[in-house]
Amino acid sequence: MKLKTKKSKAGISGNWRKEVERVLITEEQLARRVKILAGEIERDFRGRETVVVSLLSGTVMFLADLIRHLNLPLRLDFIGVSSYGAGTESGELVFTKELRLDVRGRDVLLVDDILDTGKTMSRVLPKLRALKPRRIKVCVLLDKPSHRVEKIRADYVGFAVPDFFVVGYGLDFAERYRNLPFVGILYPHIYKEACKIVCKK
Ligand code: PRP
């Protein structure tokens, strides 16, 4: 889905106004789109036993909203993977939690919050394929193709987003802002200042 971006402070509560420059995707847009995505997935998966594999931690809100609309016999598991190049750039990938459910012969729906460079997916997908699932479909809330370095595409995309550093609805900057109910853009000075501290670690 393409976004019509407009500069708006509407929907940003007082606490966030000094840090969030604008809302990119509103709560209402997220709710509507996630429901539509779930419908598409449900039709494609045709009632088959499904293992939803969600990547920690950015998927928390998206996953919770998506699966409540998924009328499928599904089981849920998580892979912990994080890029520890703090700040706004992707860094070295570290696995913090391995999959526990057996996916052999199963349909797998791999869920992530954002597909950016594609480095995360390009590490996770071979690991999953090695476990011999029947098939793997990739679902991401946001697709930011501008920085892609790996040849990865998602089967289900909530929104294609332009080249902004986005936070909220699970997405963080230095582990903050995950609890924003919308997807927003920080003022550049916020992440530049924080980067001076965080990126040196
Ligand atoms: C973020 C995001 C994706 C990944 C996408 O994860 O959740 O998993 O980056 O970026 P890429 O396509 O450039 O690899 P992060 O490592 O920040 O961990 P988090 O989910 O805990 O925020």
Side-chain angles (χ1 to χ4, degrees):
M1 182 182 181
K2 275 217 157 177
L3 281 172
K4 283 181 196 150
T5 57
K6 58 177 186 213
K7 286 207 168 191
S8 169
K9 280 275 179 195
I12 307 178
S13 74
N15 288 340
W16 301 110
R17 278 176 178 247
K18 285 188 180 147
E19 294 164 68
V20 178
E21 185 172 21
R22 67 183 163 109
V23 175
L24 185 65
I25 311 172
T26 65
E27 276 187 78
E28 293 73 24
Q29 287 173 313
L30 286 164
R32 223 175 305 138
R33 185 68 186 137
V34 171
K35 206 170 171 183
I36 291 169
L37 271 186
E40 286 172 19
I41 294 165
E42 208 178 285
R43 274 192 300 279
D44 289 354
F45 279 66
R46 296 162 190 246
R48 292 182 63 92
E49 284 280 346
T50 300
V51 181
V52 174
V53 176
S54 190
L55 302 189
L56 297 171
S57 307
T59 49
V60 278
M61 288 211 200
F62 175 43
L63 177 75
D65 289 342
L66 184 74
I67 61 171
R68 81 184 73 201
H69 294 300
L70 274 183
N71 188 14
L72 287 174
L74 66 81
R75 290 177 302 149
L76 180 61
D77 202 352
F78 299 88
I79 293 179
V81 57
S82 212
S83 68
Y84 279 99
T88 59
E89 303 291 327
S90 297
E92 190 199 337
L93 280 177
V94 179
F95 283 88
T96 56
K97 187 204 169 292
E98 299 293 336
L99 200 66
R100 294 186 65 195
L101 291 181
D102 186 5
V103 297
R104 180 177 288 266
R106 299 286 189 206
D107 284 24
V108 169
L109 180 69
L110 178 58
V111 178
D112 205 358
D113 53 341
I114 185 165
L115 180 58
D116 187 359
T117 63
K119 287 181 186 171
T120 303
M121 280 294 171
S122 72
R123 288 283 303 280
V124 170
L125 279 167
K127 255 172 103 80
L128 264 181
R129 283 190 196 113
L131 301 172
K132 305 266 184 273
R134 192 177 86 94
R135 64 173 186 171
I136 304 171
K137 292 282 181 182
V138 174
C139 173
V140 295
L141 176 70
L142 307 178
D143 183 11
K144 189 158 82 172
S146 47
H147 289 175
R148 194 85 91 252
V149 295
E150 300 287 346
K151 209 173 161 196
I152 301 279
R153 57 168 289 281
D155 300 286
Y156 309 97
V157 173
F159 301 88
V161 290
D163 187 15
F164 290 118
F165 187 75
V166 287
V167 295
Y169 196 64
L171 289 104
D172 73 314
F173 171 62
E175 296 302 330
R176 291 189 62 217
Y177 307 104
R178 292 196 200 271
N179 56 327
L180 291 177
F182 52 81
V183 173
I185 300 167
L186 295 177
Y187 283 109
H189 73 267
I190 297 290
Y191 56 80
K192 280 182 188 148
E193 274 164 25
C195 224
K196 280 184 203 154
I197 305 161
V198 179
C199 300
K200 279 182 190 156
K201 281 189 184 169

